[in-house]
Amino acid sequence: MSEEGSRAETVDKAPTAQVQTKRGFSIIWVVPILALIIGGWLAYKAMSEKGPILTINFENAEGLVAGKTKVKYKDVEIGVVSVIDLLDDLSGVAITIEMHREFKPYMTENTSFWVVRARVAAGEVSGLGTLLSGAYIGCSPSDEGQAVKHFVGLEKPPVMTVGLPGRHFIIQSETLGSLDIGSTVQYRGIKVGQVVDYNFDEAAESILLKVFINAPFHEKVRTRSRFWNASGIDFTMDSSGIKMDTQSLVSILLGGMAFDTPPDAPAGEQAEESKTFQLYASHEESRELTYDLREYYLLYFNQRVRGLSPGAPVEIKGIQVGEVVSIELQYDQEQLNFRIPVLVMLEPE
């Protein structure tokens, strides 16, 4: 057999090679998969731990710095200011804050915010720490009401009475005078409470002051108790001589009110929460007797009434039984002369 034939026979008997493609897991994918898992876990952790994002409107952003100003409750940080923007109508500023996650249930419509700065009011100095650390946003959280994400900030820090033993009452007054948030409320010369808020009642055209009386003195407020303005000096002069009545010097200078129950009248039961009382101008006026029955009469005078003015007493044998309500001037076209109608109020009781 020739050499070429032998070689060809050997080639015919050689096995055919089989090529297989390996599709198993490659270790090169371990690093990106682990990076993806870790990144996803970190993103989920960040989202799950992120608290609510709120917006608060204030008149100005004095002392506030985005990324630095804190939101605090009882001096504990519960959030931080992230963005400060102007409102669309330029009437104020919109503060965006990021709250801690655990405070999410307390961000309701009854929650309030305000800016804490150094402040001197009603004889008390507060916020001195902000002179070094800068202003911060105070918070009064509440879990009552619907959850909201937009708030209107308070321009004046409220007086915190949440959780304190005592009771709130509403005092109605024609004018605010020297009274303000923080003004003291006294009982027989003892400071027992303070004014915590006030607003204007459109329907009654009067000022409504909200006061808080600390326990146990809130039990001294009875249904027939009377409050009076103690911000000045009561000065009266009558047949018995000159009388002067004052409260503490702090009340005279900074404003305040006092209350007591007249000893010559039934005290009544303890006043309930948010009961409304009238604010008298002075202690002397608060001690005057008041009656429920009133009758009005219109009197006509043809002579001069010089010296007569609204509030002047109507007397019978020297005893006051009423007062003048109003005085007008009318022209009688039939008689061709003037007459003066005077409206008086009598208390028959």
Side-chain angles (χ1 to χ4, degrees), residues 302-314:
N302 294 323
Q303 67 272 23
R304 295 181 178 181
V305 292
R306 178 178 296 177
L308 190 64
S309 62
V314 178

Side-chain angles (χ1 to χ4, degrees), residues 8 12 22 42 67 75 100 114 117 124 143 277 295 298 310 343:
D12 293 340
K22 189 176 182 180
L42 292 176
D75 287 335
H100 291 180
W114 64 92
R117 305 184 181 96
E124 297 182 356
D143 58 357
F277 293 89
E295 296 181 355
L298 188 61
L343 180 64

Side-chain angles (χ1 to χ4, degrees), residues 161-180:
T161 59
V162 178
L164 296 180
R167 197 165 291 171
H168 294 89
F169 301 101
I170 305 299
I171 311 300
Q172 186 174 4
S173 175
E174 293 184 358
T175 61
L176 184 62
S178 59
L179 297 174
D180 197 357

Side-chain angles (χ1 to χ4, degrees), residues 90-101:
L90 304 182
S91 61
V93 296
I95 309 297
T96 303
I97 62 175
E98 297 181 3
M99 301 294 295
H100 291 180
R101 179 173 58 90

